[in-house]
PDB file of all heavy atoms in Angstrom:
ATOM      1  N   GLY A 296       1.747  -8.952  -3.423  1.00 95.00           N
ATOM      2  CA  GLY A 296       0.475  -8.693  -4.090  1.00 95.00           C
ATOM      3  C   GLY A 296      -0.110  -9.928  -4.753  1.00 95.00           C
ATOM      4  O   GLY A 296       0.236 -11.063  -4.421  1.00 95.00           O
ATOM      5  N   PHE A 297      -1.003  -9.683  -5.703  1.00 95.00           N
ATOM      6  CA  PHE A 297      -1.845 -10.754  -6.249  1.00 95.00           C
ATOM      7  C   PHE A 297      -1.442 -11.183  -7.648  1.00 95.00           C
ATOM      8  O   PHE A 297      -2.152 -11.936  -8.297  1.00 95.00           O
ATOM      9  CB  PHE A 297      -3.307 -10.276  -6.264  1.00 95.00           C
ATOM     10  CG  PHE A 297      -3.859 -10.067  -4.876  1.00 95.00           C
ATOM     11  CD1 PHE A 297      -3.728  -8.844  -4.227  1.00 95.00           C
ATOM     12  CD2 PHE A 297      -4.492 -11.109  -4.203  1.00 95.00           C
ATOM     13  CE1 PHE A 297      -4.222  -8.657  -2.946  1.00 95.00           C
ATOM     14  CE2 PHE A 297      -4.991 -10.930  -2.918  1.00 95.00           C
ATOM     15  CZ  PHE A 297      -4.854  -9.707  -2.290  1.00 95.00           C
ATOM     16  N   SER A 298      -0.320 -10.711  -8.140  1.00 95.00           N
ATOM     17  CA  SER A 298       0.062 -11.028  -9.509  1.00 95.00           C
ATOM     18  C   SER A 298       0.181 -12.534  -9.720  1.00 95.00           C
ATOM     19  O   SER A 298       0.811 -13.243  -8.931  1.00 95.00           O
ATOM     20  CB  SER A 298       1.414 -10.391  -9.815  1.00 95.00           C
ATOM     21  OG  SER A 298       1.945 -10.985 -10.976  1.00 95.00           O
ATOM     22  N   PRO A 299      -0.386 -13.031 -10.833  1.00 95.00           N
ATOM     23  CA  PRO A 299      -0.186 -14.450 -11.150  1.00 95.00           C
ATOM     24  C   PRO A 299       1.194 -14.698 -11.763  1.00 95.00           C
ATOM     25  O   PRO A 299       1.660 -15.842 -11.803  1.00 95.00           O
ATOM     26  CB  PRO A 299      -1.288 -14.737 -12.182  1.00 95.00           C
ATOM     27  CG  PRO A 299      -1.645 -13.407 -12.758  1.00 95.00           C
ATOM     28  CD  PRO A 299      -1.302 -12.351 -11.747  1.00 95.00           C
ATOM     29  N   ASN A 300       1.861 -13.637 -12.222  1.00 96.00           N
ATOM     30  CA  ASN A 300       3.176 -13.775 -12.867  1.00 96.00           C
ATOM     31  C   ASN A 300       4.255 -13.675 -11.786  1.00 96.00           C
ATOM     32  O   ASN A 300       5.067 -12.759 -11.768  1.00 96.00           O
ATOM     33  CB  ASN A 300       3.319 -12.658 -13.906  1.00 96.00           C
ATOM     34  CG  ASN A 300       4.619 -12.766 -14.672  1.00 96.00           C
ATOM     35  OD1 ASN A 300       5.226 -13.830 -14.753  1.00 96.00           O
ATOM     36  ND2 ASN A 300       5.064 -11.644 -15.214  1.00 96.00           N
ATOM     37  N   ARG A 301       4.235 -14.647 -10.852  1.00 96.00           N
ATOM     38  CA  ARG A 301       4.997 -14.476  -9.631  1.00 96.00           C
ATOM     39  C   ARG A 301       6.101 -15.512  -9.473  1.00 96.00           C
ATOM     40  O   ARG A 301       6.118 -16.545 -10.144  1.00 96.00           O
ATOM     41  CB  ARG A 301       4.078 -14.512  -8.423  1.00 96.00           C
ATOM     42  CG  ARG A 301       3.258 -15.756  -8.309  1.00 96.00           C
ATOM     43  CD  ARG A 301       2.063 -15.598  -7.364  1.00 96.00           C
ATOM     44  NE  ARG A 301       2.426 -15.185  -6.020  1.00 96.00           N
ATOM     45  CZ  ARG A 301       2.061 -14.021  -5.475  1.00 96.00           C
ATOM     46  NH1 ARG A 301       1.318 -13.183  -6.151  1.00 96.00           N
ATOM     47  NH2 ARG A 301       2.422 -13.726  -4.251  1.00 96.00           N
ATOM     48  N   LEU A 302       6.973 -15.222  -8.527  1.00 95.00           N
ATOM     49  CA  LEU A 302       7.971 -16.197  -8.094  1.00 95.00           C
ATOM     50  C   LEU A 302       7.200 -17.260  -7.306  1.00 95.00           C
ATOM     51  O   LEU A 302       6.480 -16.918  -6.370  1.00 95.00           O
ATOM     52  CB  LEU A 302       8.963 -15.481  -7.186  1.00 95.00           C
ATOM     53  CG  LEU A 302      10.348 -16.069  -7.026  1.00 95.00           C
ATOM     54  CD1 LEU A 302      11.079 -16.115  -8.364  1.00 95.00           C
ATOM     55  CD2 LEU A 302      11.150 -15.234  -6.040  1.00 95.00           C
ATOM     56  N   GLU A 303       7.376 -18.510  -7.678  1.00 92.00           N
ATOM     57  CA  GLU A 303       6.515 -19.540  -7.090  1.00 92.00           C
ATOM     58  C   GLU A 303       6.696 -19.660  -5.570  1.00 92.00           C
ATOM     59  O   GLU A 303       5.739 -19.750  -4.817  1.00 92.00           O
ATOM     60  CB  GLU A 303       6.794 -20.880  -7.756  1.00 92.00           C
ATOM     61  CG  GLU A 303       5.576 -21.762  -7.777  1.00 92.00           C
ATOM     62  CD  GLU A 303       5.849 -23.028  -8.565  1.00 92.00           C
ATOM     63  OE1 GLU A 303       6.591 -22.970  -9.571  1.00 92.00           O
ATOM     64  OE2 GLU A 303       5.341 -24.065  -8.132  1.00 92.00           O
ATOM     65  N   HIS A 304       7.960 -19.648  -5.136  1.00 95.00           N
ATOM     66  CA  HIS A 304       8.236 -19.758  -3.699  1.00 95.00           C
ATOM     67  C   HIS A 304       9.158 -18.618  -3.283  1.00 95.00           C
ATOM     68  O   HIS A 304      10.123 -18.326  -3.989  1.00 95.00           O
ATOM     69  CB  HIS A 304       8.930 -21.090  -3.378  1.00 95.00           C
ATOM     70  CG  HIS A 304       8.169 -22.271  -3.861  1.00 95.00           C
ATOM     71  ND1 HIS A 304       6.998 -22.699  -3.274  1.00 95.00           N
ATOM     72  CD2 HIS A 304       8.402 -23.106  -4.903  1.00 95.00           C
ATOM     73  CE1 HIS A 304       6.544 -23.752  -3.930  1.00 95.00           C
ATOM     74  NE2 HIS A 304       7.373 -24.015  -4.928  1.00 95.00           N
ATOM     75  N   PRO A 305       8.899 -18.016  -2.132  1.00 97.00           N
ATOM     76  CA  PRO A 305       9.811 -16.964  -1.673  1.00 97.00           C
ATOM     77  C   PRO A 305      11.178 -17.550  -1.345  1.00 97.00           C
ATOM     78  O   PRO A 305      11.275 -18.707  -0.924  1.00 97.00           O
ATOM     79  CB  PRO A 305       9.130 -16.424  -0.413  1.00 97.00           C
ATOM     80  CG  PRO A 305       8.120 -17.432  -0.010  1.00 97.00           C
ATOM     81  CD  PRO A 305       7.786 -18.265  -1.204  1.00 97.00           C
ATOM     82  N   GLU A 306      12.214 -16.768  -1.544  1.00 98.00           N
ATOM     83  CA  GLU A 306      13.581 -17.224  -1.254  1.00 98.00           C
ATOM     84  C   GLU A 306      14.223 -16.242  -0.280  1.00 98.00           C
ATOM     85  O   GLU A 306      14.355 -15.057  -0.586  1.00 98.00           O
ATOM     86  CB  GLU A 306      14.435 -17.235  -2.530  1.00 98.00           C
ATOM     87  CG  GLU A 306      13.927 -18.152  -3.623  1.00 98.00           C
ATOM     88  CD  GLU A 306      14.522 -17.807  -4.989  1.00 98.00           C
ATOM     89  OE1 GLU A 306      15.421 -16.945  -5.064  1.00 98.00           O
ATOM     90  OE2 GLU A 306      14.036 -18.400  -5.971  1.00 98.00           O
ATOM     91  N   LEU A 307      14.613 -16.757   0.889  1.00 98.00           N
ATOM     92  CA  LEU A 307      15.297 -15.914   1.878  1.00 98.00           C
ATOM     93  C   LEU A 307      16.699 -16.470   2.090  1.00 98.00           C
ATOM     94  O   LEU A 307      16.864 -17.676   2.315  1.00 98.00           O
ATOM     95  CB  LEU A 307      14.505 -15.930   3.196  1.00 98.00           C
ATOM     96  CG  LEU A 307      15.104 -15.149   4.367  1.00 98.00           C
ATOM     97  CD1 LEU A 307      15.243 -13.665   4.024  1.00 98.00           C
ATOM     98  CD2 LEU A 307      14.231 -15.306   5.619  1.00 98.00           C
ATOM     99  N   THR A 308      17.694 -15.615   1.990  1.00 98.00           N
ATOM    100  CA  THR A 308      19.077 -16.066   2.191  1.00 98.00           C
ATOM    101  C   THR A 308      19.799 -15.155   3.178  1.00 98.00           C
ATOM    102  O   THR A 308      19.448 -13.982   3.332  1.00 98.00           O
ATOM    103  CB  THR A 308      19.877 -16.064   0.862  1.00 98.00           C
ATOM    104  OG1 THR A 308      19.805 -14.757   0.281  1.00 98.00           O
ATOM    105  CG2 THR A 308      19.354 -17.087  -0.119  1.00 98.00           C
TER     106      THR A 308
END
Side-chain angles (χ1 to χ4, degrees):
F297 294 89
S298 164
N300 183 22
R301 57 197 303 116
L302 203 61
E303 210 174 325
H304 305 288
E306 299 162 7
L307 178 60
T308 55

